[in-house]
Amino acid sequence: MDDGNKNSGATTPTKGAALVSGPRLAPIWFCSNVGGGVFGAWQTAAWRALGLDARLHSAIELEEYWKAKTSVLSRLRLRWAMYASYPLRLWTSIGQAAPGATFVTVTNPFFLPAMASRIARSRGARIIHLVYDLYPDALVFGGGWSPRHPVARLAACSTRVAIAECEATVYLGRRLRQYAESQYGVARRTAVIPVGTDTSVFRDCWPTMRTDRLVHCLYSGHLGRLHEWETMAQALAAGCPTGLKVEIASDGPGAVKLISALRAASAGESFVLGGTQDKSKWHNAMLAADVALVTMRFGAEKVVMPSKTYSAMAAGQAILAICPLESDLADLIVEHDCGWIIEPGDAAGLRSLLKGLPGRRDEILQKRRKAYAAAHAYYSMEATGRQWVELFSTLNEL
């Protein structure tokens, strides 16, 4: 999952009345090997603003993660820190925790929740399993692995253990939950809580009609193996439709292939092709875009929910999703009427939609406004934080 900003810093949510009353809850640790951005720093800041004693437990910050990918040696050190030394650190932390401490443990790495649940048995600590990506399905659908591969079988076993033994399992979407339960069993307690985004960076940015002559479409963030790029490449092979500007600010294996294909399509000035942006450029690009491009392969709907969707909505972008119709992403768009859905492989349908967008400026504005309103009402860190507080309070009453 990637919300599109590789250098996003933590912003403390607006503090309102704390939701936790009575005796203060025991410490709550958010555990992930990479701790920056929405996946850790923002989340714990939101929980603290709502009255929880929330702390971040991680191996490296997001900025360190990106900087460490610049050489072979730094990548080796990065892998050691994330997948070897960090699990050992968490093992020690849980073993030394006071009874009643809660550890929200993400699937990063995939075996972390299962490992944590086994350690917590004798310590009186509680483990909440947060399913960012479902394994081994992410390996099978995204990487082409065989389900019989030893690592895939280990991942499947770890997922079953985590679901069975953790105090609660949290999914990012309803369909993700349904699929996981059909494959790996039903957890003791289950919640569906969207990952959300830091809406404060787009506060007071209500969408208004553009004066630009071009409708600006933006793909921002990682374009990996679970994302779909071929449909975009085919739809834009004849060049960018008149009245449209398409910007690809992305990294990952899919981005390399998409950018190469678009450059071969005699891109011209209507294409802007480059890598992910720093914080200030990302913020400006998000506010300048009318339509966010979000993609998902067939099969990926069983594994992930693209977090970049919430950032795009918060910035006031309508969502053009290339994704399966039966997915949490498609459900989100239908629920809030904030965009359009094209199935993977329908390049002709995507081309037709893109060609028509410049003549539908009023419709685009209405969908932008609906996206903005939904993000700030339902998917802010405070809004999703309230759902977490409800889950923590329920566990505390047991």
Side-chain angles (χ1 to χ4, degrees):
M1 298 187 347
D2 171 18
D3 82 339
N5 176 15
K6 71 177 182 180
N7 291 314
S8 53
T11 303
T12 303
T14 303
K15 292 187 178 182
L19 296 183
V20 179
S21 59
R24 192 172 182 82
L25 295 178
I28 296 170
W29 296 88
F30 186 96
C31 308
S32 173
N33 56 14
V34 179
V38 66
F39 311 124
W42 294 357
Q43 190 71 82
T44 49
W47 293 347
R48 287 192 296 273
L50 295 169
L52 300 176
D53 180 8
R55 311 173 190 184
L56 181 60
H57 190 289
S58 62
I60 60 172
E61 292 301 312
L62 192 60
E63 291 83 359
E64 296 177 70
Y65 174 81
W66 289 107
K67 290 177 182 178
K69 300 181 77 172
T70 57
S71 70
V72 174
L73 182 60
S74 65
R75 286 196 295 269
L76 289 174
R77 289 173 176 169
L78 179 70
R79 289 182 179 275
W80 174 263
M82 293 174 62
Y83 301 114
S85 65
Y86 177 67
L88 293 175
R89 281 183 49 214
L90 180 60
W91 182 295
T92 301
S93 297
I94 297 175
Q96 296 174 347
T102 298
F103 293 82
V104 178
T105 312
V106 308
T107 50
N108 199 12
F110 68 82
F111 57 84
L112 210 61
M115 183 198 76
S117 68
R118 290 296 173 93
I119 307 166
R121 282 179 173 181
S122 60
R123 300 301 306 172
R126 294 180 299 203
I127 307 299
I128 297 178
H129 174 204
L130 175 53
V131 184
Y132 274 166
D133 296 321
L134 185 66
Y135 290 93
D137 306 82
L139 301 174
V140 174
F141 293 119
W145 290 46
S146 167
R148 295 185 295 276
H149 189 284
V151 175
R153 294 174 67 179
L154 174 62
C157 180
S158 297
T159 299
R160 291 190 184 94
V161 169
I163 289 176
E165 297 188 1
C166 289
E167 290 294 322
T169 294
V170 176
Y171 297 101
L172 302 183
R174 177 180 60 86
R175 291 185 186 270
L176 295 177
R177 171 189 171 179
Q178 291 173 344
Y179 175 76
E181 289 181 342
S182 72
Q183 298 297 307
Y184 304 107
V186 179
R188 298 180 186 178
R189 296 169 194 84
T190 302
V192 174
I193 304 178
V195 68
T197 191
D198 180 15
T199 57
S200 68
V201 296
F202 300 115
R203 188 174 292 120
D204 301 324
C205 297
W206 179 248
T208 57
M209 183 63 76
R210 308 282 194 191
T211 57
D212 301 345
R213 63 182 182 87
L214 297 177
V215 173
H216 185 174
C217 299
L218 172 67
Y219 187 99
S220 177
H222 191 66
L223 188 55
R225 291 183 175 85
L226 290 170
H227 300 100
E228 217 274 0
W229 64 271
E230 294 91 341
T231 304
M232 277 195 289
Q234 294 168 15
L236 297 171
C240 197
T242 303
L244 208 67
K245 174 182 177 181
V246 174
E247 179 176 359
I248 309 297
S250 180
D251 64 0
V256 173
K257 296 175 181 177
L258 175 62
I259 289 173
S260 176
L262 295 184
R263 282 178 176 153
S266 62
E269 295 182 357
S270 294
F271 283 127
V272 179
L273 307 175
T276 51
Q277 301 156 321
D278 63 27
K279 187 177 180 181
S280 61
K281 290 182 179 179
W282 173 83
H283 186 266
N284 293 335
M286 294 291 281
L287 288 176
D290 302 293
V291 177
L293 300 170
V294 183
T295 72
M296 179 189 293
R297 289 186 178 279
F298 279 119
E301 75 277 9
K302 302 172 182 177
V303 182
V304 297
M305 169 61 198
S307 60
K308 61 172 63 69
T309 310
Y310 302 110
S311 297
M313 291 172 66
Q317 299 173 30
I319 308 299
L320 199 174
I322 302 170
C323 68
L325 294 178
E326 295 186 356
S327 64
D328 287 308
L329 175 56
D331 290 347
L332 179 75
I333 293 171
V334 171
E335 178 181 358
H336 300 296
D337 188 23
C338 61
W340 309 270
I341 305 162
I342 296 290
E343 286 204 285
D346 186 8
L350 177 59
R351 179 77 183 183
S352 176
L353 176 60
L354 291 173
K355 288 178 66 175
L357 285 180
R360 301 161 68 175
R361 293 177 183 269
D362 288 340
E363 179 186 351
I364 293 172
L365 178 61
Q366 291 305 311
K367 291 186 182 295
R368 290 178 60 215
R369 288 177 170 174
K370 289 177 180 179
Y372 183 92
H376 288 257
Y378 304 116
Y379 306 113
S380 68
M381 300 311 296
E382 181 177 3
T384 59
R386 290 173 182 270
Q387 296 179 61
W388 279 101
V389 169
E390 183 178 350
L391 175 61
F392 295 142
S393 299
T394 299
L395 294 177
N396 199 52
E397 293 169 356
L398 298 177

